[in-house]
Short mmCIF file of all heavy atoms in Angstrom, two decimals:
data_model
loop_
_atom_site.label_atom_id
_atom_site.label_comp_id
_atom_site.label_asym_id
_atom_site.label_seq_id
_atom_site.Cartn_x
_atom_site.Cartn_y
_atom_site.Cartn_z
N MET A 24 139.94 155.87 44.18
CA MET A 24 141.30 156.31 44.05
C MET A 24 141.78 156.04 42.64
O MET A 24 141.48 155.06 42.05
CB MET A 24 142.16 155.55 45.09
CG MET A 24 143.62 155.93 44.92
SD MET A 24 144.58 155.11 46.23
CE MET A 24 145.13 156.51 47.09
N THR A 25 142.59 156.94 42.13
CA THR A 25 143.15 156.81 40.78
C THR A 25 144.59 156.26 40.87
O THR A 25 145.40 156.75 41.64
CB THR A 25 143.18 158.22 40.11
OG1 THR A 25 141.88 158.73 40.05
CG2 THR A 25 143.81 158.14 38.75
N GLN A 26 144.84 155.28 40.01
CA GLN A 26 146.13 154.69 39.93
C GLN A 26 146.68 154.88 38.47
O GLN A 26 145.93 154.64 37.52
CB GLN A 26 146.11 153.21 40.26
CG GLN A 26 147.45 152.55 40.23
CD GLN A 26 147.40 151.09 40.68
OE1 GLN A 26 146.37 150.60 41.08
NE2 GLN A 26 148.50 150.41 40.49
N ILE A 27 147.93 155.30 38.38
CA ILE A 27 148.52 155.58 37.07
C ILE A 27 149.71 154.62 36.87
O ILE A 27 150.57 154.53 37.68
CB ILE A 27 148.98 157.00 36.97
CG1 ILE A 27 147.84 157.96 37.16
CG2 ILE A 27 149.67 157.28 35.63
CD1 ILE A 27 148.20 159.41 37.29
N ASN A 28 149.69 153.91 35.74
CA ASN A 28 150.78 152.99 35.43
C ASN A 28 151.33 153.33 34.00
O ASN A 28 150.57 153.42 33.03
CB ASN A 28 150.27 151.55 35.35
CG ASN A 28 149.80 151.12 36.72
OD1 ASN A 28 150.49 151.25 37.73
ND2 ASN A 28 148.55 150.62 36.84
N LEU A 29 152.62 153.50 33.90
CA LEU A 29 153.26 153.80 32.62
C LEU A 29 153.78 152.50 32.02
O LEU A 29 154.40 151.70 32.70
CB LEU A 29 154.49 154.76 32.82
CG LEU A 29 154.13 156.21 32.78
CD1 LEU A 29 153.29 156.63 33.92
CD2 LEU A 29 155.43 157.02 32.78
N GLY A 30 153.61 152.36 30.70
CA GLY A 30 154.19 151.27 29.94
C GLY A 30 155.65 151.60 29.67
O GLY A 30 156.22 152.56 30.24
N ASP A 31 156.27 150.93 28.75
CA ASP A 31 157.66 151.19 28.40
C ASP A 31 157.79 152.61 27.83
O ASP A 31 157.00 152.99 26.96
CB ASP A 31 158.17 150.21 27.37
CG ASP A 31 158.32 148.81 27.87
OD1 ASP A 31 158.42 148.69 29.15
OD2 ASP A 31 158.21 147.86 27.14
N VAL A 32 158.70 153.36 28.34
CA VAL A 32 158.96 154.72 27.86
C VAL A 32 160.06 154.64 26.79
O VAL A 32 161.11 154.07 26.96
CB VAL A 32 159.41 155.66 28.99
CG1 VAL A 32 159.70 157.03 28.51
CG2 VAL A 32 158.37 155.71 30.11
N ARG A 33 159.73 155.20 25.61
CA ARG A 33 160.68 155.23 24.52
C ARG A 33 160.89 156.64 24.00
O ARG A 33 159.99 157.47 24.14
CB ARG A 33 160.04 154.38 23.36
CG ARG A 33 159.91 152.92 23.75
CD ARG A 33 159.49 152.10 22.55
NE ARG A 33 159.41 150.69 22.96
CZ ARG A 33 158.29 149.98 22.92
NH1 ARG A 33 157.19 150.50 22.49
NH2 ARG A 33 158.33 148.73 23.24
N TYR A 34 162.05 156.85 23.42
CA TYR A 34 162.31 158.12 22.81
C TYR A 34 162.15 158.07 21.32
O TYR A 34 162.76 157.23 20.64
CB TYR A 34 163.75 158.56 23.13
CG TYR A 34 164.03 160.02 22.77
CD1 TYR A 34 163.44 161.07 23.53
CD2 TYR A 34 164.81 160.33 21.66
CE1 TYR A 34 163.70 162.38 23.15
CE2 TYR A 34 165.07 161.66 21.32
CZ TYR A 34 164.46 162.65 22.03
OH TYR A 34 164.70 163.99 21.71
N ASN A 35 161.37 158.98 20.78
CA ASN A 35 161.16 159.11 19.35
C ASN A 35 162.05 160.26 18.87
O ASN A 35 161.65 161.43 19.03
CB ASN A 35 159.65 159.36 19.08
CG ASN A 35 159.34 159.48 17.63
OD1 ASN A 35 160.17 159.86 16.81
ND2 ASN A 35 158.08 159.16 17.28
N ALA A 36 163.17 159.93 18.22
CA ALA A 36 164.10 160.96 17.82
C ALA A 36 163.53 161.83 16.70
O ALA A 36 163.83 163.06 16.63
CB ALA A 36 165.40 160.31 17.39
N THR A 37 162.70 161.26 15.88
CA THR A 37 162.04 162.04 14.79
C THR A 37 161.19 163.15 15.37
O THR A 37 161.16 164.26 14.89
CB THR A 37 161.21 161.16 13.85
OG1 THR A 37 162.09 160.11 13.35
CG2 THR A 37 160.66 161.87 12.73
N ALA A 38 160.39 162.82 16.38
CA ALA A 38 159.46 163.78 17.02
C ALA A 38 160.18 164.60 18.10
O ALA A 38 159.66 165.62 18.52
CB ALA A 38 158.28 163.07 17.61
N GLY A 39 161.32 164.11 18.59
CA GLY A 39 161.99 164.80 19.65
C GLY A 39 161.19 164.75 20.94
O GLY A 39 161.12 165.67 21.71
N ALA A 40 160.65 163.51 21.21
CA ALA A 40 159.75 163.37 22.39
C ALA A 40 159.82 161.97 22.91
O ALA A 40 160.13 161.00 22.23
CB ALA A 40 158.32 163.70 21.96
N PHE A 41 159.48 161.87 24.21
CA PHE A 41 159.31 160.57 24.84
C PHE A 41 157.86 160.15 24.71
O PHE A 41 156.94 160.99 24.77
CB PHE A 41 159.67 160.72 26.33
CG PHE A 41 161.09 160.92 26.60
CD1 PHE A 41 161.64 162.20 26.63
CD2 PHE A 41 161.97 159.80 26.83
CE1 PHE A 41 162.95 162.42 26.89
CE2 PHE A 41 163.34 160.04 27.09
CZ PHE A 41 163.81 161.35 27.05
N GLU A 42 157.68 158.87 24.49
CA GLU A 42 156.30 158.31 24.28
C GLU A 42 156.12 157.10 25.19
O GLU A 42 157.08 156.37 25.46
CB GLU A 42 156.14 157.91 22.82
CG GLU A 42 156.33 159.03 21.85
CD GLU A 42 156.32 158.54 20.39
OE1 GLU A 42 156.65 157.39 20.10
OE2 GLU A 42 155.98 159.39 19.54
N ALA A 43 154.87 156.93 25.62
CA ALA A 43 154.57 155.75 26.38
C ALA A 43 153.03 155.54 26.41
O ALA A 43 152.25 156.51 26.23
CB ALA A 43 154.99 155.88 27.85
N ARG A 44 152.61 154.35 26.68
CA ARG A 44 151.20 154.06 26.91
C ARG A 44 151.04 154.29 28.45
O ARG A 44 151.79 153.83 29.25
CB ARG A 44 150.90 152.57 26.62
CG ARG A 44 149.46 152.21 26.86
CD ARG A 44 149.29 150.71 26.92
NE ARG A 44 149.79 150.28 28.25
CZ ARG A 44 150.52 149.18 28.49
NH1 ARG A 44 150.95 148.47 27.47
NH2 ARG A 44 150.96 148.91 29.68
N VAL A 45 149.96 154.94 28.79
CA VAL A 45 149.70 155.19 30.20
C VAL A 45 148.28 154.74 30.56
O VAL A 45 147.34 155.04 29.87
CB VAL A 45 149.75 156.74 30.52
CG1 VAL A 45 149.53 156.98 32.01
CG2 VAL A 45 151.16 157.30 30.09
N ASP A 46 148.20 153.87 31.52
CA ASP A 46 146.92 153.29 31.99
C ASP A 46 146.50 154.11 33.29
O ASP A 46 147.28 154.19 34.19
CB ASP A 46 147.04 151.85 32.32
CG ASP A 46 147.33 151.00 31.11
OD1 ASP A 46 147.07 151.49 29.94
OD2 ASP A 46 147.73 149.86 31.26
N ILE A 47 145.21 154.47 33.26
CA ILE A 47 144.63 155.11 34.46
C ILE A 47 143.52 154.22 34.96
O ILE A 47 142.63 153.90 34.22
CB ILE A 47 144.14 156.51 34.15
CG1 ILE A 47 145.25 157.44 33.74
CG2 ILE A 47 143.38 157.13 35.35
CD1 ILE A 47 144.89 158.86 33.40
N GLN A 48 143.65 153.77 36.21
CA GLN A 48 142.59 152.95 36.82
C GLN A 48 141.77 153.82 37.72
O GLN A 48 142.31 154.40 38.69
CB GLN A 48 143.23 151.77 37.56
CG GLN A 48 144.02 150.84 36.60
CD GLN A 48 144.70 149.76 37.39
OE1 GLN A 48 144.69 149.66 38.57
NE2 GLN A 48 145.30 148.84 36.60
N ARG A 49 140.44 153.74 37.49
CA ARG A 49 139.49 154.52 38.28
C ARG A 49 138.25 153.69 38.45
O ARG A 49 137.70 153.14 37.48
CB ARG A 49 139.06 155.86 37.59
CG ARG A 49 139.89 156.96 37.83
CD ARG A 49 139.26 158.25 37.30
NE ARG A 49 140.25 159.35 37.31
CZ ARG A 49 140.41 160.23 36.38
NH1 ARG A 49 139.72 160.21 35.35
NH2 ARG A 49 141.33 161.09 36.53
N SER A 50 137.77 153.61 39.64
CA SER A 50 136.46 152.98 39.93
C SER A 50 136.36 151.56 39.27
O SER A 50 135.33 151.20 38.74
CB SER A 50 135.32 153.85 39.47
OG SER A 50 135.36 155.12 40.03
N GLY A 51 137.46 150.84 39.36
CA GLY A 51 137.43 149.50 38.88
C GLY A 51 137.57 149.35 37.33
O GLY A 51 137.48 148.26 36.78
N ARG A 52 137.81 150.48 36.64
CA ARG A 52 137.95 150.47 35.19
C ARG A 52 139.30 151.00 34.82
O ARG A 52 139.90 151.79 35.55
CB ARG A 52 136.89 151.34 34.54
CG ARG A 52 135.45 150.83 34.76
CD ARG A 52 134.46 151.65 34.06
NE ARG A 52 134.62 151.48 32.60
CZ ARG A 52 134.03 152.27 31.76
NH1 ARG A 52 133.22 153.26 32.10
NH2 ARG A 52 134.22 152.12 30.42
N THR A 53 139.85 150.51 33.72
CA THR A 53 141.14 150.97 33.23
C THR A 53 140.97 151.65 31.93
O THR A 53 140.30 151.19 30.99
CB THR A 53 142.09 149.75 33.02
OG1 THR A 53 142.22 149.03 34.26
CG2 THR A 53 143.46 150.21 32.47
N PHE A 54 141.62 152.86 31.82
CA PHE A 54 141.56 153.65 30.60
C PHE A 54 142.99 153.83 30.09
O PHE A 54 143.91 154.14 30.90
CB PHE A 54 140.91 155.01 30.83
CG PHE A 54 139.53 154.86 31.41
CD1 PHE A 54 139.29 154.93 32.79
CD2 PHE A 54 138.47 154.72 30.56
CE1 PHE A 54 138.03 154.79 33.32
CE2 PHE A 54 137.19 154.61 31.04
CZ PHE A 54 136.95 154.65 32.43
N ARG A 55 143.23 153.62 28.81
CA ARG A 55 144.60 153.59 28.27
C ARG A 55 144.74 154.78 27.26
O ARG A 55 143.87 154.97 26.43
CB ARG A 55 144.80 152.26 27.54
CG ARG A 55 146.19 152.14 26.92
CD ARG A 55 146.43 150.71 26.51
NE ARG A 55 146.57 149.89 27.69
CZ ARG A 55 146.64 148.57 27.72
NH1 ARG A 55 146.45 147.90 26.64
NH2 ARG A 55 146.78 147.94 28.84
N TYR A 56 145.89 155.43 27.40
CA TYR A 56 146.14 156.62 26.58
C TYR A 56 147.56 156.60 26.00
O TYR A 56 148.49 156.27 26.69
CB TYR A 56 146.01 157.89 27.43
CG TYR A 56 144.64 158.08 28.06
CD1 TYR A 56 144.48 157.61 29.36
CD2 TYR A 56 143.59 158.59 27.38
CE1 TYR A 56 143.23 157.70 30.01
CE2 TYR A 56 142.36 158.66 28.00
CZ TYR A 56 142.20 158.26 29.28
OH TYR A 56 140.95 158.35 29.84
N PRO A 57 147.67 156.92 24.71
CA PRO A 57 149.07 157.12 24.16
C PRO A 57 149.50 158.48 24.50
O PRO A 57 148.86 159.48 24.15
CB PRO A 57 148.76 156.94 22.60
CG PRO A 57 147.35 157.41 22.47
CD PRO A 57 146.64 157.09 23.73
N CYS A 58 150.65 158.64 25.14
CA CYS A 58 151.06 159.98 25.57
C CYS A 58 152.45 160.27 25.12
O CYS A 58 153.24 159.42 24.80
CB CYS A 58 151.06 160.03 27.13
SG CYS A 58 149.39 159.87 27.77
N MET A 59 152.73 161.62 25.07
CA MET A 59 153.99 162.08 24.54
C MET A 59 154.43 163.35 25.37
O MET A 59 153.63 164.16 25.74
CB MET A 59 153.83 162.52 23.07
CG MET A 59 155.15 163.01 22.46
SD MET A 59 154.94 163.70 20.80
CE MET A 59 153.90 162.56 19.98
N VAL A 60 155.70 163.43 25.57
CA VAL A 60 156.28 164.60 26.22
C VAL A 60 157.55 165.03 25.41
O VAL A 60 158.47 164.23 25.25
CB VAL A 60 156.77 164.30 27.72
CG1 VAL A 60 157.54 165.45 28.30
CG2 VAL A 60 155.59 163.96 28.55
N ALA A 61 157.46 166.23 24.90
CA ALA A 61 158.62 166.76 24.10
C ALA A 61 159.81 167.08 25.00
O ALA A 61 159.61 167.55 26.09
CB ALA A 61 158.21 168.00 23.39
N GLY A 62 160.99 166.79 24.52
CA GLY A 62 162.22 167.11 25.27
C GLY A 62 163.42 166.39 24.65
O GLY A 62 163.29 165.49 23.85
N PRO A 63 164.60 166.82 25.09
CA PRO A 63 165.84 166.15 24.61
C PRO A 63 166.02 164.83 25.21
O PRO A 63 165.45 164.48 26.27
CB PRO A 63 166.92 167.14 25.06
CG PRO A 63 166.37 167.76 26.31
CD PRO A 63 164.87 167.87 26.04
N LEU A 64 166.81 163.99 24.60
CA LEU A 64 167.14 162.61 25.07
C LEU A 64 167.67 162.67 26.44
O LEU A 64 167.51 161.70 27.19
CB LEU A 64 168.04 161.94 24.09
CG LEU A 64 168.42 160.52 24.36
CD1 LEU A 64 167.20 159.61 24.44
CD2 LEU A 64 169.34 159.96 23.33
N THR A 65 168.35 163.74 26.83
CA THR A 65 169.00 163.86 28.09
C THR A 65 168.04 164.33 29.24
O THR A 65 168.51 164.57 30.35
CB THR A 65 170.18 164.85 28.04
OG1 THR A 65 169.70 166.12 27.58
CG2 THR A 65 171.25 164.33 27.09
N MET A 66 166.79 164.53 28.96
CA MET A 66 165.81 165.00 29.91
C MET A 66 165.69 164.07 31.13
O MET A 66 165.81 162.82 30.97
CB MET A 66 164.43 165.12 29.24
CG MET A 66 163.38 165.78 30.01
SD MET A 66 161.95 166.00 28.98
CE MET A 66 160.84 166.81 30.03
N ASP A 67 165.63 164.62 32.29
CA ASP A 67 165.53 163.84 33.55
C ASP A 67 164.30 162.88 33.47
O ASP A 67 163.19 163.28 33.16
CB ASP A 67 165.38 164.82 34.72
CG ASP A 67 165.22 164.06 36.04
OD1 ASP A 67 166.16 163.42 36.47
OD2 ASP A 67 164.07 164.12 36.59
N MET A 68 164.55 161.59 33.77
CA MET A 68 163.46 160.56 33.62
C MET A 68 162.31 160.80 34.56
O MET A 68 161.18 160.51 34.22
CB MET A 68 164.03 159.20 33.81
CG MET A 68 163.10 158.11 33.30
SD MET A 68 162.43 158.29 31.68
CE MET A 68 163.90 157.99 30.60
N GLU A 69 162.56 161.35 35.70
CA GLU A 69 161.47 161.64 36.63
C GLU A 69 160.55 162.74 36.07
O GLU A 69 159.34 162.60 36.08
CB GLU A 69 161.99 162.11 37.98
CG GLU A 69 160.89 162.27 39.03
CD GLU A 69 160.11 161.02 39.33
OE1 GLU A 69 160.68 159.91 39.26
OE2 GLU A 69 158.91 161.05 39.56
N ARG A 70 161.15 163.70 35.38
CA ARG A 70 160.38 164.72 34.69
C ARG A 70 159.59 164.17 33.54
O ARG A 70 158.48 164.62 33.28
CB ARG A 70 161.35 165.83 34.27
CG ARG A 70 160.67 167.07 33.75
CD ARG A 70 161.69 168.17 33.51
NE ARG A 70 161.09 169.24 32.86
CZ ARG A 70 161.70 170.23 32.26
NH1 ARG A 70 163.01 170.24 32.23
NH2 ARG A 70 161.08 171.19 31.68
N VAL A 71 160.21 163.27 32.83
CA VAL A 71 159.54 162.58 31.70
C VAL A 71 158.30 161.82 32.22
O VAL A 71 157.17 161.99 31.69
CB VAL A 71 160.46 161.61 30.95
CG1 VAL A 71 159.71 160.76 29.99
CG2 VAL A 71 161.55 162.39 30.27
N ARG A 72 158.44 161.03 33.25
CA ARG A 72 157.32 160.23 33.77
C ARG A 72 156.24 161.14 34.33
O ARG A 72 155.00 160.85 34.11
CB ARG A 72 157.86 159.31 34.92
CG ARG A 72 158.68 158.16 34.43
CD ARG A 72 159.03 157.19 35.54
NE ARG A 72 159.81 156.10 35.03
CZ ARG A 72 161.09 155.95 35.21
NH1 ARG A 72 161.78 156.79 35.97
NH2 ARG A 72 161.74 154.90 34.70
N THR A 73 156.61 162.22 35.02
CA THR A 73 155.62 163.14 35.48
C THR A 73 154.82 163.79 34.37
O THR A 73 153.58 163.88 34.38
CB THR A 73 156.24 164.26 36.36
OG1 THR A 73 156.90 163.62 37.48
CG2 THR A 73 155.26 165.24 36.85
N GLY A 74 155.55 164.16 33.30
CA GLY A 74 154.91 164.75 32.15
C GLY A 74 153.94 163.81 31.41
O GLY A 74 152.86 164.17 30.97
N LEU A 75 154.40 162.55 31.28
CA LEU A 75 153.48 161.53 30.67
C LEU A 75 152.21 161.30 31.49
O LEU A 75 151.14 161.22 30.95
CB LEU A 75 154.28 160.21 30.49
CG LEU A 75 155.37 160.23 29.45
CD1 LEU A 75 156.26 159.03 29.59
CD2 LEU A 75 154.82 160.33 28.03
N ALA A 76 152.40 161.21 32.81
CA ALA A 76 151.18 161.01 33.70
C ALA A 76 150.29 162.24 33.59
O ALA A 76 149.04 162.05 33.53
CB ALA A 76 151.65 160.86 35.12
N ARG A 77 150.81 163.40 33.59
CA ARG A 77 149.94 164.64 33.49
C ARG A 77 149.21 164.64 32.10
O ARG A 77 148.03 165.01 32.09
CB ARG A 77 150.80 165.89 33.59
CG ARG A 77 151.22 166.15 35.01
CD ARG A 77 152.00 167.45 35.10
NE ARG A 77 152.42 167.67 36.46
CZ ARG A 77 153.38 168.52 36.85
NH1 ARG A 77 153.97 169.29 35.91
NH2 ARG A 77 153.66 168.66 38.10
N HIS A 78 149.90 164.25 31.07
CA HIS A 78 149.29 164.17 29.73
C HIS A 78 148.09 163.24 29.82
O HIS A 78 147.01 163.55 29.32
CB HIS A 78 150.28 163.76 28.71
CG HIS A 78 149.79 163.81 27.28
ND1 HIS A 78 150.44 163.23 26.31
CD2 HIS A 78 148.66 164.32 26.77
CE1 HIS A 78 149.75 163.37 25.16
NE2 HIS A 78 148.72 164.06 25.43
N ALA A 79 148.26 162.09 30.38
CA ALA A 79 147.18 161.10 30.47
C ALA A 79 146.04 161.61 31.32
O ALA A 79 144.83 161.49 30.95
CB ALA A 79 147.70 159.78 31.06
N LEU A 80 146.33 162.28 32.42
CA LEU A 80 145.26 162.82 33.28
C LEU A 80 144.49 163.91 32.51
O LEU A 80 143.26 163.97 32.69
CB LEU A 80 145.89 163.37 34.60
CG LEU A 80 146.35 162.29 35.52
CD1 LEU A 80 147.07 162.90 36.66
CD2 LEU A 80 145.08 161.49 36.12
N ARG A 81 145.14 164.73 31.74
CA ARG A 81 144.44 165.75 30.98
C ARG A 81 143.53 165.08 29.98
O ARG A 81 142.35 165.51 29.78
CB ARG A 81 145.40 166.66 30.23
CG ARG A 81 146.01 167.76 31.15
CD ARG A 81 146.75 168.79 30.33
NE ARG A 81 147.63 168.31 29.28
CZ ARG A 81 148.91 168.05 29.43
NH1 ARG A 81 149.50 168.25 30.66
NH2 ARG A 81 149.65 167.60 28.45
N MET A 82 143.97 164.04 29.35
CA MET A 82 143.17 163.34 28.38
C MET A 82 141.98 162.66 29.05
O MET A 82 140.87 162.67 28.52
CB MET A 82 144.01 162.26 27.63
CG MET A 82 145.03 162.86 26.71
SD MET A 82 146.08 161.67 25.94
CE MET A 82 144.99 160.93 24.76
N SER A 83 142.17 162.11 30.23
CA SER A 83 141.11 161.39 30.88
C SER A 83 140.01 162.38 31.43
O SER A 83 138.90 161.97 31.58
CB SER A 83 141.62 160.55 32.04
OG SER A 83 141.96 161.29 33.12
N ASP A 84 140.43 163.61 31.65
CA ASP A 84 139.42 164.56 32.11
C ASP A 84 138.75 165.32 31.02
O ASP A 84 138.04 166.31 31.25
CB ASP A 84 140.11 165.56 33.09
CG ASP A 84 140.52 164.88 34.35
OD1 ASP A 84 139.93 163.82 34.67
OD2 ASP A 84 141.47 165.40 35.02
N SER A 85 138.97 164.89 29.75
CA SER A 85 138.46 165.60 28.60
C SER A 85 137.01 165.21 28.18
O SER A 85 136.52 165.79 27.30
CB SER A 85 139.40 165.42 27.38
OG SER A 85 140.63 165.94 27.64
N GLY A 86 136.50 164.17 28.84
CA GLY A 86 135.14 163.77 28.50
C GLY A 86 135.13 162.35 28.08
O GLY A 86 136.08 161.77 27.64
N ALA A 87 133.95 161.73 28.20
CA ALA A 87 133.79 160.33 27.92
C ALA A 87 134.06 159.94 26.46
O ALA A 87 134.44 158.84 26.16
CB ALA A 87 132.32 159.89 28.34
N SER A 88 133.87 160.89 25.52
CA SER A 88 134.07 160.57 24.12
C SER A 88 135.52 160.21 23.81
O SER A 88 135.80 159.57 22.77
CB SER A 88 133.59 161.70 23.24
OG SER A 88 134.37 162.88 23.46
N LEU A 89 136.49 160.63 24.66
CA LEU A 89 137.87 160.39 24.37
C LEU A 89 138.49 159.23 25.18
O LEU A 89 139.61 158.89 25.09
CB LEU A 89 138.73 161.62 24.65
CG LEU A 89 138.40 162.85 23.76
CD1 LEU A 89 139.29 164.06 24.14
CD2 LEU A 89 138.63 162.52 22.32
N LEU A 90 137.66 158.59 26.02
CA LEU A 90 138.13 157.51 26.89
C LEU A 90 138.24 156.20 26.08
O LEU A 90 137.43 155.89 25.22
CB LEU A 90 137.22 157.26 28.09
CG LEU A 90 137.08 158.41 29.03
CD1 LEU A 90 136.06 158.06 30.13
CD2 LEU A 90 138.44 158.76 29.64
N SER A 91 139.30 155.52 26.37
CA SER A 91 139.54 154.17 25.71
C SER A 91 139.53 153.15 26.80
O SER A 91 140.50 153.04 27.57
CB SER A 91 140.84 154.17 25.01
OG SER A 91 141.12 152.87 24.53
N SER A 92 138.49 152.40 26.98
CA SER A 92 138.38 151.43 28.07
C SER A 92 138.89 150.04 27.63
O SER A 92 138.69 149.68 26.40
CB SER A 92 136.89 151.27 28.42
OG SER A 92 136.75 150.34 29.45
N ILE A 93 139.61 149.33 28.50
CA ILE A 93 140.05 148.01 28.17
C ILE A 93 139.53 147.04 29.15
O ILE A 93 139.06 147.35 30.22
CB ILE A 93 141.59 147.94 28.11
CG1 ILE A 93 142.20 148.31 29.47
CG2 ILE A 93 142.16 148.76 27.03
CD1 ILE A 93 143.69 148.04 29.61
#
């Protein structure tokens, strides 16, 4: 089973995007990804979290060369 945990979500006004560290736990291993979702500061936080999780899942399914294990 895959578990997704978001770190602190911050807004980067220069980039116009929300950023967070996202950890994905699979098969007893944790993989960490820096993720970003573009949008205005007023964007719905549930939508932000969903976007960050999707970004991390796309990164984790990109192949072993892009995985960051901790």
Side-chain angles (χ1 to χ4, degrees):
M24 176 177 245
T25 300
Q26 183 177 352
I27 301 171
N28 297 308
L29 273 64
D31 292 336
V32 178
R33 296 187 176 119
Y34 189 72
N35 181 333
T37 303
F41 290 89
E42 301 172 334
R44 180 199 77 223
V45 182
D46 294 343
I47 297 180
Q48 296 177 356
R49 273 192 190 137
S50 304
R52 296 183 66 192
T53 301
F54 302 95
R55 181 168 288 169
Y56 303 95
C58 297
M59 180 188 317
V60 173
L64 183 58
T65 58
M66 189 172 180
D67 177 68
M68 194 50 69
E69 187 60 34
R70 189 171 173 195
V71 170
R72 288 186 179 107
T73 299
L75 290 167
R77 284 183 182 164
H78 185 193
L80 287 170
R81 281 193 313 270
M82 291 175 74
S83 76
D84 292 337
S85 296
S88 63
L89 296 178
L90 296 178
S91 173
S92 180
I93 59 170

